[in-house]
Amino acid sequence: MKKNLGLALICLIMMIAGILNAQTKKGNWLIEGSIGNIELSKEKSEYNSGANTNTGDVAYFDVELNPGAGYFISDNIIIGTTINLGYGFNNMISYDDKGLKTYDDIGNSSKIGFSPYIRAYFTKNSKNRFYGQLNGGMDFNLSSYETTDYKETGEIDGNYNSDSKYHTFIVGVLIGFNHFLTQNIAFNSAIGYNYSAFSSDYTRSGTMVGFNPKAYGTDRTNNFVWKFGFSIFLAGKKG
């Protein structure tokens, strides 16, 4: 009886190990969701304006959500795409050297985009799997800013609104880690690097004098990125 129980236990362990090792097999599917690049800050700034030293209160908040899905084209190799959703808010209030408010700037931004990727799993441990990933893609962004200037008397000197829309091309790399909580659900975390380039169109309106109602700009950035979330591995159809 004990011998049969021992054999049954061994078979069960081998079966579970086989299921776990098959998580990244050809034909399986991956569904992921992550949150990352969260920034929440409130800080003081100081800068020179001619002979005067101005100070400012700066507050901003940024967050990204990244749902996605992929398909294993071979063992440990997956191709897929991630949807990029983001929102940001910022507020800056500037004061002159006498402590009087000079301007108040409030803005918010949002984005939606997609990032196709190819990912390779390196380790074969059934509970912990490391991977490397290459990705590219494009984001579509909208932003809106409202700026109010003040006179030394505290009265409003003028204001303007600035709306912009732009698209961003992205190329990046990630190093990630899956820790399996169950047979097919894993905690996912990753860090990496993104290079992005964007071009934008600005439309402005307001009562201030001397600003261009239309503007165009380009920029290139290098960013450190991080994210965490969950991955679900689904078995594909058997041939």
Side-chain angles (χ1 to χ4, degrees), residues 20-42:
L20 292 175
N21 288 328
Q23 288 153 341
T24 59
K25 291 293 185 180
K26 178 181 178 180
N28 286 356
W29 291 87
L30 173 67
I31 298 174
E32 285 188 318
S34 63
I35 184 171
N37 298 331
I38 302 173
E39 295 184 62
L40 177 61
S41 177
K42 188 173 183 179

Side-chain angles (χ1 to χ4, degrees), residues 5 12 45 58 67 128 201 207 214 216:
L5 182 60
L12 179 61
S45 65
V58 183
N128 300 296
D201 293 300
T207 61
K214 294 285 186 179
Y216 176 80

Side-chain angles (χ1 to χ4, degrees), residues 3 12 17 34 64 84-85 95 106 159 164 168 190 200 225 229:
K3 183 178 180 181
L12 179 61
S34 63
E64 289 188 12
N84 304 322
L85 304 173
Y95 303 91
I106 299 175
N159 59 68
S164 66
T168 307
S200 56
V225 296

Side-chain angles (χ1 to χ4, degrees), residues 149 157-160 205-213:
D149 271 12
D157 186 31
N159 59 68
Y160 73 88
S205 62
T207 61
M208 291 181 63
V209 178
F211 68 87
N212 189 348

Side-chain angles (χ1 to χ4, degrees), residues 151-197:
K151 300 178 182 179
E152 291 185 0
T153 59
E155 297 177 319
I156 294 177
D157 186 31
N159 59 68
Y160 73 88
N161 298 320
S162 176
D163 297 316
S164 66
K165 55 183 178 179
Y166 54 97
H167 53 273
T168 307
F169 295 97
I170 302 169
V171 177
V173 295
L174 283 176
I175 297 296
F177 173 72
N178 283 162
H179 173 69
F180 285 88
L181 306 174
T182 68
Q183 294 178 5
N184 62 345
I185 298 177
F187 174 76
N188 179 44
S189 59
I191 59 173
Y193 161 85
N194 272 356
Y195 169 81
S196 60

Side-chain angles (χ1 to χ4, degrees), residues 125-146:
N125 187 292
S126 61
K127 294 290 291 183
N128 300 296
R129 305 293 302 269
F130 286 92
Y131 64 83
Q133 178 175 304
L134 296 175
N135 57 271
M138 178 184 290
D139 289 340
F140 299 90
N141 308 71
L142 295 173
S143 65
S144 177
Y145 290 88
E146 180 179 350

Side-chain angles (χ1 to χ4, degrees), residues 78-91:
I78 182 174
I79 59 172
T81 189
T82 298
I83 304 299
N84 304 322
L85 304 173
Y87 174 77
F89 169 83
N90 64 78
N91 178 214

